[in-house]
Amino acid sequence: MSAVARMVIVGGGPGGYEAALVAAQVGAEVTLVDRDGLGGSAVLTDVVPSKGLITVADVMDEVFDSRRLGVRFDGEVSVDLAKVNDRLKGLAAAQSDDVEAHLRKDGVEILRGVGRLDGADRVVVDLEGGGVETISADAILIATGAHPRQLESARPDGERILSWTQLYDLDELPEHLIVVGSGVTGAEFAGAYQALGSQVTLVSSRARVLPGEDADAAAVLEDVFGRRGMTVLSRSRAVSAVSSATDVTVELQDGGSLTGTHVLMAVGSVPNTEGLGLTEAGVALDDGGFVKVDRVSRTNARGVYAAGDCTGVLMLASVAAMQGRIAMKHALGEAVQPLDLSVVSSNVFTDPEIATVGVTQHQVDSGEVSAAQVKLPFNTNARAKMQDFHDGFVKLFCRVGTGIVMGGVVVAPRASELIYPVSLAVRLGLDVDQVADAFTVYPSLSGSVSEAARQLHLRS
């Protein structure tokens, strides 16, 4: 590698821009090729706007739930969706601008256009304003993300048949939203629109919502959805969607059908790897078109790395960013810790939220991992009682004999914050006594994390 390393990054999402910052800060020459806007889908069409929308939905839930606390209010409470969506798009644009400013401040060259590999050491960029630029590189990082999967029989039209990137163009709240897909994206939007005031039907091809999450947590959420008036159709597969001027009809595989005003297709993601010259450069893809990488983000082609959703490795912004940082450090010859998915915390932003880290219930039940466990409902927690919160629990797993914390699940409001002490325990190899002996505030929901650790001591 030359005295001043030349890094070229294709894609400006978390995997790309975090990698660019790492490389620039250690003195490399960095060019980032961006097609859709700095921050990628995480900032522009996914994480930032969707969690902003969910924040509004949470406020609506809190307003209505406050009546049980003795709060009185007169008049109708409703949402101005056009105003909400304008704000969300503004937030996304501002965050994208912040990312760009940070990159430029650190000396990263940004090229607007579409990049593709010309072998394993050059990137050709079709510039946004016209023209072509070819850049030689000591290392290349592919961080092009993914886009919503589409069914040929239910192609989004941006009006009544929608992908999750198109929701923010709605000016009025859907009267009846049919959500096809009960994974994380489907569950989050179904819960949010139910809270905002839409009638929601959730179509799940599986036996339960959130089939990839903890089964106990998913059961709590499905019960909450039902109590709030959502219709959940389990083991029901949508095969087509046809819209008219006033509604949309979803045909089911069993011969039944549903009619609503809008349908959200949340049936997975497809990697943005076509047209990048990857195969021609010798970069291996899997059967789904995702780039194959190892734990330091290397592809099989020397000098070519990949990060983020285009790799299909636990499609989270935090993981994409870590993959990108690891890739650049490795390419620059620095010592790196390979990506360890066993310490990654994740969260489903429903109400209640579902946060997880480490060992799962499925791994324990299948015998893959031997662990003791405790599941502690929040219904005995003083703070939960004050907040009139009844649904949810803390679940901890520890290694038998040593008591080392191996994983956990939290189902609660702001579970994304409560999982942090469990994540620290897993990452640092703390035992249940160390977790239990740390002070917690009384009253607090985090007190249940400490109490679960105390109970787990007796079983480990």
Side-chain angles (χ1 to χ4, degrees), residues 7 25 57 70 77 89-90 124 126 139 182 185 194 231 251-252 276 292 326 333 341 378 383 390:
M7 303 289 163
Q25 287 163 3
V77 178
K89 287 186 282 190
V124 178
D126 295 319
S182 62
T185 299
Q194 182 78 23
T231 299
E251 299 290 340
L252 303 177
L276 296 179
K292 292 183 178 181
I326 289 172
L341 296 180
F378 275 113
R383 185 65 179 272
H390 306 285

Side-chain angles (χ1 to χ4, degrees), residues 2 6 37 81 113 123 146 164 181-182 192 203 242 274 330 332 342 351 374 393:
S2 59
R6 179 71 161 148
L81 192 64
V123 173
W164 63 79
S182 62
V203 180
V242 179
E274 285 191 11
H330 187 273
L332 291 165
S342 70
D351 182 21
V374 159
F393 58 82

Side-chain angles (χ1 to χ4, degrees), residues 44 49 82 84-94 168-171:
L44 296 170
V84 168
N85 282 338
D86 282 346
R87 175 178 177 270
L88 297 179
K89 287 186 282 190
L91 285 174
Y168 311 106
D169 294 324
L170 293 178
D171 291 329

Side-chain angles (χ1 to χ4, degrees), residues 140-155:
I140 298 169
L141 174 70
I142 302 299
T144 48
H147 61 274
R149 178 171 170 256
Q150 297 183 4
L151 302 182
E152 289 292 336
S153 55
R155 284 199 170 276

Side-chain angles (χ1 to χ4, degrees), residues 220-239:
V220 170
L221 184 64
E222 192 161 342
D223 180 60
V224 171
F225 278 173
R227 294 203 316 263
R228 290 178 176 172
M230 186 185 301
T231 299
V232 179
L233 300 181
S234 301
R235 296 188 174 91
S236 298
R237 185 177 296 277
V239 294

Side-chain angles (χ1 to χ4, degrees), residues 201-216:
T201 299
L202 179 59
V203 180
S204 172
S205 64
R206 309 290 285 274
R208 59 177 173 85
V209 301
L210 297 174
E213 300 296 323
D214 182 89
D216 292 334

Side-chain angles (χ1 to χ4, degrees), residues 12 17 38-39 43 94-104 110:
Y17 73 73
L38 274 303
V43 168
Q95 183 65 22
S96 180
D97 290 344
D98 287 346
V99 171
E100 180 170 354
H102 193 176
L103 290 167
R104 292 192 185 282
I110 299 171

Side-chain angles (χ1 to χ4, degrees), residues 175-327:
E175 181 180 339
H176 180 188
L177 178 65
I178 300 169
V179 179
V180 177
S182 62
V184 172
T185 299
E188 287 184 347
F189 280 117
Y193 275 91
Q194 182 78 23
L196 293 173
S198 295
Q199 177 187 348
V200 175
T201 299
L202 179 59
V203 180
S204 172
S205 64
R206 309 290 285 274
R208 59 177 173 85
V209 301
L210 297 174
E213 300 296 323
D214 182 89
D216 292 334
V220 170
L221 184 64
E222 192 161 342
D223 180 60
V224 171
F225 278 173
R227 294 203 316 263
R228 290 178 176 172
M230 186 185 301
T231 299
V232 179
L233 300 181
S234 301
R235 296 188 174 91
S236 298
R237 185 177 296 277
V239 294
S240 68
V242 179
S243 63
S244 69
T246 58
D247 56 32
V248 60
T249 299
V250 175
E251 299 290 340
L252 303 177
Q253 193 174 54
D254 63 7
S257 65
L258 300 168
T259 299
T261 58
H262 299 76
V263 60
L264 168 63
M265 302 301 297
V267 290
S269 298
V270 178
N272 296 325
T273 52
E274 285 191 11
L276 296 179
L278 295 174
T279 302
E280 294 82 353
V283 177
L285 308 178
D286 68 14
D287 293 340
F290 293 95
V291 183
K292 292 183 178 181
V293 293
D294 63 13
R295 292 175 59 204
V296 292
S297 305
R298 288 179 299 191
T299 71
N300 64 305
R302 184 177 179 84
V304 180
Y305 296 75
D309 288 358
C310 67
T311 70
V313 177
L314 197 53
M315 297 167 77
L316 299 171
S318 59
V319 173
M322 184 63 73
Q323 285 181 293
R325 289 190 290 262
I326 289 172

